[in-house]
Amino acid sequence: MAQILDGRKLSEKIKERVKSDIEKLSRHSVDVGLGLLLAGENPSSKQYMYATVKSCEKVGIKAHQNKLPDDVSINEILNLIHSINKDERISGLLMFLPLPKKINARRVINEIAPEKDVDGLGSLSVGRLAADESTFQIFRQGDYDSLYSGEFMSAVSSFLPCTPFGVIRLLEHYGIDMKGRHAVVVGKSLAVGKPLSLMLLAKEATVTICHRETRDLGSYTRQADILCTATGIKGLIKGDMIKDGAVVVDIGINVLNDGSITGDVDFGSVEKKASFITPVPGGVGPVTIAMLLENTVRSAQRSHFLKHPLITG
Ligand code: NAD
């Protein structure tokens, strides 16, 4: 029976640290704010926004919510982003995806100032991840606390995408070594599969990426020491597609008719063979939000440090 990779526990630990960092900043009269931009009525985005606002309240981040109608123009969105870019009270901006169909999401995301791109999806952040200029953030040197001191972050001007960053933190938290192991990632989106593959590569795993056109998916997943799936296809990964002792990370979220959620993995058959497995809910999801809060406070620390480099503690 597999050991559960408990994302809720880890997220509470990360949030405690974020809360204490925010308290320290408030002693210097620095408030931390996160801009949230939701366009349209996508139910999963609304759910994610609600959960993010609740988490912000818990740690002391002020959530600046912006809800725009489905027929919003790209011009209105860009104007809002420009005003958030200039707003000193807001350290990060999260844009909920998908955007309404007629809006070019890449055009919009690239308008977010890179230093406020706390979900790391702008081209600059993606490029820095690919060029290994921001991957030091997934390496534990002593512990993450020393790594993320305000001084150190002053050298950083881009953040890692929260979901794959959360996956790496979850694996690290449970002492799962990635070096030299075969990691198979199912899904190649810019938000999850692709950056996760780059992070696993930076961790020196041997990485295989599968997607909807991959033929005979099971022949790849059965080779995985670490299998990460992010497709949104309920029950895609079954017990007979897993190697004995594999680590299985389920990033997929599927909302069922009764409102409950489930992942890509057929949990019942897979947990019998896996060594570790994430539940859905309670696995990657909570860590994703914790990473968003962490990136936001790092952004606030960074801009505070750049303004007052001699003040610490
Ligand atoms: P996406 O639709 O952009 O990408 C889906 C990917 O799955 C594509 O690369 C596609 O090629 C692949 N795919 C589809 N069908 C497949 C199949 N039959 N076999 C193999 N690959 C297949 O979605 P996304 O934004 O990457 O999100 C993926 C899932 O992860 C969704 O369920 C989403 O809700 C979830 N998600 C969860 C979190 C979290 O915090 N847990 C965060 C973001 C996304």
Side-chain angles (χ1 to χ4, degrees):
M1 205 63 91
Q3 185 181 338
I4 296 292
L5 297 169
D6 186 339
R8 286 203 178 104
K9 249 194 210 155
L10 175 60
S11 84
E12 287 311 315
K13 195 171 165 239
I14 295 169
K15 283 194 246 177
E16 267 169 39
R17 169 70 206 207
V18 167
K19 195 171 175 206
S20 110
D21 284 350
I22 287 170
E23 282 160 8
K24 278 185 204 153
L25 282 169
S26 72
R27 280 184 231 138
H28 298 292
S29 309
V30 178
D31 291 328
V32 183
L34 174 64
L36 302 172
L37 213 161
L38 174 71
E41 298 293 327
N42 184 286
S44 337
S45 297
K46 281 177 157 175
Q47 220 174 15
Y48 185 22
M49 180 148 167
Y50 175 77
T52 306
V53 171
K54 286 268 156 228
S55 296
C56 282
E57 278 168 7
K58 275 195 193 144
V59 297
I61 292 178
K62 183 166 175 25
H64 298 257
Q65 298 183 59
N66 299 277
K67 291 182 193 156
L68 302 169
D70 197 53
D71 61 355
V72 64
S73 70
I74 187 157
N75 204 38
E76 282 171 88
I77 300 181
L78 295 182
N79 283 337
L80 187 55
I81 292 176
H82 294 156
S83 82
I84 291 172
N85 283 346
K86 282 187 271 177
D87 193 331
E88 293 272 309
R89 300 165 306 161
I90 301 181
S91 303
L93 171 56
L94 176 69
M95 175 88 162
F96 291 92
L97 300 172
L99 289 171
K101 277 204 180 72
K102 62 172 187 176
I103 307 285
N104 177 343
R106 293 305 305 159
R107 166 91 178 84
V108 166
I109 285 170
N110 280 331
E111 215 64 35
I112 300 173
E115 64 276 15
K116 294 195 180 187
D117 179 21
V118 284
D119 205 17
L121 296 183
S123 296
L124 203 84
S125 307
V126 174
R128 285 189 173 145
L129 166 59
D132 259 345
E133 289 171 18
S134 54
T135 41
F136 68 87
Q137 294 174 78
I138 54 172
F139 286 90
R140 185 194 289 263
Q141 292 169 355
D143 59 53
Y144 281 103
D145 295 354
S146 60
L147 181 62
Y148 288 126
S149 65
E151 291 85 342
F152 195 79
M153 283 304 285
S154 66
V156 185
S157 49
S158 50
F159 295 96
L160 295 172
C162 300
T163 301
F165 192 10
V167 170
I168 300 287
R169 286 285 280 269
L170 196 55
L171 292 172
E172 286 250 320
H173 181 70
Y174 282 89
I176 295 163
D177 197 13
M178 288 156 256
K179 198 182 226 169
R181 300 184 83 188
H182 188 186
V184 175
V185 177
V186 188
K188 64 171 180 71
S189 72
L190 195 59
V192 190
K194 207 179 279 180
L196 178 56
S197 306
L198 289 169
M199 288 181 205
L200 289 162
L201 205 53
K203 287 288 210 180
E204 293 189 302
T206 299
V207 182
T208 299
I209 307 169
C210 301
H211 47 79
R212 66 163 60 84
E213 299 299 335
T214 298
R215 293 176 195 168
D216 192 5
L217 182 63
S219 69
Y220 296 96
T221 58
R222 274 189 288 275
Q223 294 177 40
D225 299 314
I226 300 171
L227 174 64
C228 301
T229 176
T231 69
I233 312 279
K234 177 177 167 261
L236 178 70
I237 306 295
K238 300 195 166 52
D240 62 358
M241 295 167 76
I242 300 290
K243 175 162 97 175
D244 274 328
V247 175
V248 179
V249 179
D250 190 354
I251 302 153
I253 297 177
N254 304 284
V255 182
L256 305 181
N257 288 338
D258 63 1
S260 63
I261 70 164
T262 184
D264 292 354
V265 170
D266 176 35
F267 193 88
S269 63
V270 171
E271 72 156 344
K272 291 190 183 91
K273 290 178 83 179
S275 55
F276 289 90
I277 189 167
T278 53
V280 178
V284 176
V287 190
T288 294
I289 296 185
M291 298 323 298
L292 175 68
L293 305 179
E294 190 181 277
N295 279 350
T296 304
V297 75
R298 297 299 162 242
S299 173
Q301 283 174 326
R302 179 179 169 273
S303 61
H304 175 63
F305 177 74
L306 290 176
K307 282 183 221 150
H308 310 277
L310 297 178
I311 300 172
T312 54

